[in-house]
Amino acid sequence: MFVKERWEKIIASLYQNGSVRVKELAEQFQVSEDCIRKDLAALEKDGQLKRSYGGAVLEKINVHKEDVSQRINVNTPQKQKIAREALKLLQDGDMVFLDISTSNIEVAKEIIRQHKKVHVVTNMVEVMRVFQTSCEAVLTFLGGSFNRGKDGFIGSLTVEQIQNFRFDIAFLGVVGIDPYQNSVNTYVLEDGYTKKAVLSCTRKAYMLCEGSKFEQEGNYRYAGLDSFTGIILDEKPKKDLEKALKNYELNIYYEE
């Protein structure tokens, strides 16, 4: 087999499974593990993948320049699936934190649609606007330093307010997730501090995650996957990814 043909098959496997392992590739192609490592190094240099411990994952996209306004109407059906799964975890009487996340806009709409009697705390303006309609939920809105790109309040004053609460459950957005490096990322430092504060003040925390988030990366690691109770996805994860997530004893939710 020619080298370029082997590279094409490696990339195809990455797109199919999300990651590849050096040992398995060496067995598949009947070459040495050193040969595979050189292949992966060449493909990484070409920008087609990112090497990880024992293998490689797809090269990730940094979306730190995208504002909420650019993402609010993107992947809406997927976010609605996530919201429906999130609502299954809510009980009447819960105090729930909805952070800055376009998926949480759909969670807010679903809370109203299902007439949930919960106390919602949020720092996102668009989530607050959803609750301007008549509903059975109670809303508390947190202030702080306004970030127009994030459409919400973040920073030390917001963190100070969060620390006065004890949430039953929190739904947190992510920019990117890397289960192979135990990294959950965002792209604004102050947003990361805010999310960290929520994690320290909640009984249960769940990541809201479209499948594309495994192909993206942020600028700031605000937590590990093992800081969360579970992850809510828009679809069933591929076997390799599911195995990686379960290494952190996460509860995995998706709409069947």
Side-chain angles (χ1 to χ4, degrees):
M1 180 182 293
F2 293 111
V3 173
K4 287 190 176 181
E5 184 181 354
R6 187 167 66 240
W7 289 1
E8 288 174 0
K9 289 183 180 294
I10 290 172
I11 295 299
S13 182
L14 269 174
Y15 275 100
Q16 181 177 354
N17 301 309
S19 67
V20 292
R21 308 291 295 176
V22 169
K23 184 177 181 180
E24 292 170 1
L25 290 175
E27 292 173 355
Q28 178 183 343
F29 297 119
Q30 295 296 297
V31 296
S32 69
E33 292 187 12
D34 281 342
C35 177
I36 294 297
R37 290 190 187 95
K38 289 177 182 178
D39 287 344
L40 298 182
L43 289 168
E44 182 178 50
K45 187 176 181 180
D46 195 42
Q48 297 193 59
L49 55 75
K50 180 179 179 181
R51 283 185 292 174
S52 61
Y53 182 76
V57 295
L58 282 172
E59 180 63 284
K60 299 189 176 183
I61 304 165
N62 192 310
V63 294
H64 70 277
K65 293 183 179 179
E66 293 186 6
D67 292 344
V68 164
S69 60
Q70 294 173 275
R71 297 182 283 108
I72 198 167
N73 294 316
V74 175
N75 296 335
T76 301
Q78 290 91 327
K79 293 169 186 174
Q80 290 171 340
K81 287 182 179 181
I82 289 170
R84 288 192 291 268
E85 284 300 306
L87 262 288
K88 294 176 183 178
L89 301 171
L90 271 186
Q91 302 292 326
D92 282 346
D94 279 348
M95 177 169 280
V96 53
F97 188 85
L98 304 182
D99 89 324
I100 297 173
S101 163
T102 52
S103 292
N104 268 330
I105 297 171
E106 298 303 324
V107 172
K109 292 176 181 177
E110 197 65 29
I111 287 173
I112 294 173
R113 192 175 295 119
Q114 295 191 25
H115 307 286
K116 284 290 185 180
K117 298 177 182 179
V118 294
H119 186 157
V120 176
V121 181
T122 187
N123 58 331
M124 186 176 189
V125 173
E126 193 60 36
V127 169
M128 176 193 69
R129 287 180 179 145
V130 171
F131 287 101
Q132 286 179 327
T133 188
S134 177
C135 65
E136 297 182 67
V138 175
L139 175 71
T140 297
F141 186 67
L142 305 182
S145 299
F146 183 59
N147 184 296
R148 289 179 176 81
K150 298 289 288 181
D151 186 50
F153 290 86
I154 54 180
S156 58
L157 183 56
T158 310
V159 168
E160 184 178 334
Q161 294 171 74
I162 287 169
Q163 290 171 339
N164 290 321
F165 289 91
R166 291 298 178 267
F167 306 110
D168 295 300
I169 190 168
F171 297 118
L172 301 180
V174 301
V175 170
I177 301 176
D178 189 340
Y180 306 100
Q181 300 294 328
N182 192 22
S183 182
V184 184
N185 308 314
T186 185
Y187 52 81
V188 175
L189 184 63
E190 290 80 4
D191 181 48
Y193 292 156
T194 306
K195 292 177 189 293
K196 277 187 174 182
V198 174
L199 284 170
S200 69
C201 296
T202 188
R203 289 175 53 244
K204 297 179 180 179
Y206 297 88
M207 293 171 273
L208 306 182
C209 181
E210 302 147 63
S212 60
K213 298 299 177 75
F214 294 104
E215 300 168 8
Q216 299 172 355
E217 61 180 10
N219 298 64
Y220 180 73
R221 178 187 185 275
Y222 76 83
L225 282 82
D226 46 6
S227 299
F228 290 84
T229 307
I231 183 169
I232 307 173
L233 304 167
D234 58 334
E235 61 183 1
K236 180 178 173 63
K238 293 175 182 176
K239 288 184 179 180
D240 185 74
L241 179 57
E242 184 175 20
K243 182 180 179 182
L245 293 171
K246 285 183 176 179
N247 285 336
Y248 303 99
E249 299 183 356
L250 287 169
N251 295 316
I252 304 172
Y253 303 92
Y254 53 88
E255 196 170 72
E256 297 286 356

